[in-house]
Amino acid sequence: MGRARTRSGYISTALGFFRSLFPRNLRTNNMKIKTGKFLGVSVSLILINLAAIMERADENLLPSVYKEVSEAFNAGPSDLGYLTFVRNFVQGLASPLAGVLVITYDRPIVLAIGTLCWALSTAAVGASNYFIQVALWRAVNGFGLAIVIPALQSFIADSYKDGTRGAGFGLLNLIGTIGGIGGGVVATVMAGSEFWGVPGWRCAFIMMATLSAVIGLLVFLFVVDPRKHTEREELMVQKISVWNDSWAATKSVVKVRTFQIIVLQGIVGSLPWTAMVFFTMWFELIGFDHNQTAALLGVFATGCAIGTLMGGIIADKMSRIFPNSGRVMCAQFSAFMGIPFSVILLKGIPQSRESYLTFSITLFLMGLTISWCGSAVNAPMFAEVVPPKHRTMIYAFDRAFEGSFSSFAAPLVGILSEKMFGYDSKGIDPLKGSSVREAEALSKGLLSMMAVPFGLCCLSYTPLHFVFKKDRENAKMASSKDVEMI
């Protein structure tokens, strides 16, 4: 069954041209094999996960070369924090656009547009000569990610059933984290070299942009939207404008109590993850070289990857035993574990090269336990508290609120490190590239933006024990009415 599409003007012409290059039967549901089952295989899901790999790799590129970018543009930690702020803030503001686009176009089209947008901006960052150019293209990068991430999440939500959705999101995060490891490790290693006279960090950006563009094209050509064809026809028949439909979806989403609570916890719970972009710079200030730093970040990312899948499987089982509280308990455990691990990592371990093994073990265990909330709890619960047609919108608004507020974490780490704890970029040894004093100051700034937010996040989940059941029942009733009307 081919995908129904609504196009006009130049979009119709361009998409029609690409479609003509490939026969229609290459883009049909005949390519599917058990899409909805855990570890099921389909061309669509393979390409969606490849897109997730490139999305996570793109996110990790700049933080992995903070030190080189700092030297290239004479920028301090607060300046680097502003780059993350700009991208995350624009991403947050633009995320609802994904919900609007999905009402009109199939999700593979939306994913392809967003992927090509972030690929262009990534290449432009690698070619920038001035700091203001980097900031501008990071904003464009945030716009592309704003379109991609909610569409990816709703695609996965529609591809799995309630009882396996946690494992589905865990698998997506596991595979995506592979991209994060690859992007971070490749950029960190390449940053220490030059290629044809071009700094390695710039080459890494251009290489990742090229791969992202290729994946975006493949997604457009071969991915099949799991949304039912009848739902698409129903939307096309209705004589309602896109904006009215979007406004109705928005009102339906924002009044859900479960959504409100998860967004509230996400505002504080995403702060530590945003602050972690300084890990690469911190390890290099301690004295680890590029390869050692890349290995440490790879260990942490591996722990997070395994943790997301493990957390998703555990949460699925807990939700069957405790339907109304199982996922919430998993989230609170995961958020709480962020407190002791942040203290151990940033204060308990001596900040010297001799602590390499201790850092590795701590980072792995930390990633294994603090990474459950998104895949095991938030994403599956969102899919259960709104009708299927509003899933992209709820993921979009979640990214809008969380992304906008969490974007302040990175510049705050830089400001705290410089203004309160005495970080001074002039104190860094230009030959060794390390400084015990500056590493200590940066670790204090990181701790301030990690331990406390993790604790607040854990507490913020508590009301879900009482409101999730009612919201889920309301969503089932709304979905039943929609089916009857169709």
Side-chain angles (χ1 to χ4, degrees):
M1 181 176 64
R3 300 198 305 267
R5 291 187 172 91
T6 303
R7 297 179 174 81
S8 61
Y10 293 113
I11 293 178
S12 177
T13 303
L15 299 184
F17 169 73
F18 281 113
R19 191 198 296 148
S20 68
L21 299 178
F22 292 83
R24 183 178 179 83
N25 63 354
L26 290 180
R27 305 187 309 277
T28 64
N29 281 336
N30 293 331
M31 300 172 71
K32 288 189 175 182
I33 306 174
K34 300 180 181 179
T35 303
K37 296 183 178 180
F38 176 59
L39 290 180
V41 178
S42 76
V43 172
S44 294
L45 282 178
I46 289 173
L47 290 175
I48 285 296
N49 282 286
L50 285 176
I53 287 176
M54 297 312 302
E55 178 263 319
R56 200 68 64 83
D58 183 85
E59 285 187 350
N60 285 2
L61 271 180
L62 186 61
S64 299
V65 294
Y66 263 174
K67 187 169 175 290
E68 287 70 27
V69 173
S70 175
E71 295 170 354
F73 298 101
N74 193 27
S78 57
D79 296 319
L80 299 174
Y82 287 130
L83 292 179
T84 300
F85 165 78
V86 167
R87 191 203 68 180
N88 289 358
F89 191 69
V90 171
Q91 180 181 338
L93 293 179
S95 288
L97 180 61
V100 176
L101 289 173
V102 167
I103 292 176
T104 309
Y105 301 103
D106 281 347
R107 279 173 291 195
I109 297 175
V110 177
L111 288 168
I113 293 172
T115 303
L116 293 174
C117 183
W118 99 51
L120 172 65
S121 61
T122 299
V125 168
S128 296
N129 294 320
Y130 302 98
F131 187 81
I132 188 64
Q133 293 176 328
V134 177
L136 173 64
W137 286 112
R138 290 298 285 174
V140 177
N141 186 266
F143 179 80
L145 292 174
I147 297 174
V148 169
I149 294 177
L152 269 177
Q153 291 176 315
S154 67
F155 193 102
I156 293 298
D158 287 349
S159 300
Y160 291 87
K161 297 180 181 179
D162 289 349
T164 61
R165 201 168 277 132
F169 278 103
L171 181 62
L172 178 74
N173 279 278
L174 170 64
I175 295 175
T177 303
I178 294 174
I181 296 172
V185 171
V186 168
T188 303
V189 173
M190 290 180 67
S193 307
E194 285 191 0
F195 301 89
W196 306 286
V198 179
W201 71 270
R202 294 183 182 273
C203 294
F205 271 75
I206 295 172
M207 181 183 70
M208 290 295 178
T210 303
L211 291 174
S212 297
V214 171
I215 295 299
L217 182 59
L218 292 175
V219 166
F220 168 70
L221 292 172
F222 298 111
V223 170
V224 178
D225 197 325
R227 184 161 36 188
K228 293 180 181 179
H229 184 60
T230 53
E231 294 177 12
R232 297 292 304 166
E233 289 181 337
E234 180 68 16
L235 287 174
M236 295 170 64
V237 169
Q238 293 175 352
K239 302 297 184 180
I240 304 175
S241 71
V242 172
W243 295 108
N244 287 341
D245 227 7
S246 302
W247 178 243
T250 300
K251 290 191 295 183
S252 175
V253 165
V254 297
K255 69 181 182 181
V256 177
R257 290 288 184 88
T258 297
F259 169 77
Q260 296 169 358
I261 294 168
I262 292 180
V263 166
L264 176 63
Q265 69 77 29
I267 289 174
V268 292
S270 57
L271 293 177
W273 294 95
T274 306
M276 289 177 196
V277 298
F278 282 102
F279 273 4
T280 302
M281 189 175 186
W282 178 52
F283 286 130
E284 291 179 350
L285 287 172
I286 290 175
F288 297 116
D289 60 30
H290 287 89
N291 293 336
Q292 290 174 320
T293 299
L296 287 172
L297 295 176
V299 167
F300 178 61
T302 301
C304 289
I306 298 173
T308 55
L309 180 59
M310 180 179 73
I313 294 172
I314 292 174
D316 282 344
K317 292 182 178 180
M318 289 290 289
S319 68
R320 289 192 283 270
I321 300 172
F322 306 102
N324 304 319
S325 298
R327 294 193 187 278
V328 184
M329 289 188 285
C330 290
Q332 290 185 300
F333 166 79
S334 183
F336 175 79
M337 293 305 293
I339 302 173
F341 275 115
S342 295
V343 175
I344 293 170
L345 179 71
L346 297 165
K347 293 293 292 183
I349 302 175
Q351 298 186 26
S352 66
R353 297 180 63 182
E354 286 71 28
S355 303
Y356 182 82
L357 181 59
T358 308
F359 275 124
S360 299
I361 296 172
T362 304
L363 285 168
F364 179 78
L365 295 176
M366 182 178 181
L368 200 65
T369 53
I370 70 171
S371 55
W372 298 11
C373 295
S375 60
V377 184
N378 299 0
M381 290 179 74
F382 278 152
E384 294 184 45
V385 297
V386 295
K389 64 181 180 180
H390 292 162
R391 281 174 180 165
T392 301
M393 189 65 78
I394 197 171
Y395 292 120
F397 270 93
D398 174 56
R399 295 310 311 158
F401 288 108
E402 288 192 23
S404 298
F405 284 93
S406 68
S407 60
F408 291 94
L412 281 176
V413 170
I415 293 171
L416 288 172
S417 301
E418 292 180 7
K419 305 299 182 182
M420 185 175 293
F421 302 121
Y423 182 97
D424 184 4
S425 56
K426 295 180 180 179
I428 301 176
D429 188 332
L431 296 178
K432 296 181 179 180
S434 61
S435 171
V436 175
R437 180 176 175 274
E438 272 57 52
E440 181 70 22
L442 186 57
S443 70
K444 291 178 180 178
L446 281 166
L447 183 62
S448 302
M449 295 305 299
M450 289 178 64
V452 175
F454 270 130
L456 294 175
C457 174
C458 179
L459 293 175
S460 297
Y461 272 111
T462 304
L464 288 177
H465 290 287
F466 309 101
V467 304
F468 175 61
K469 178 181 178 181
K470 183 177 180 180
D471 288 339
R472 184 178 57 188
E473 291 173 351
N474 291 339
K476 288 181 178 179
M477 292 177 60
S479 298
S480 299
K481 291 180 180 178
D482 288 341
V483 171
E484 291 175 2
M485 291 176 64
I486 293 176

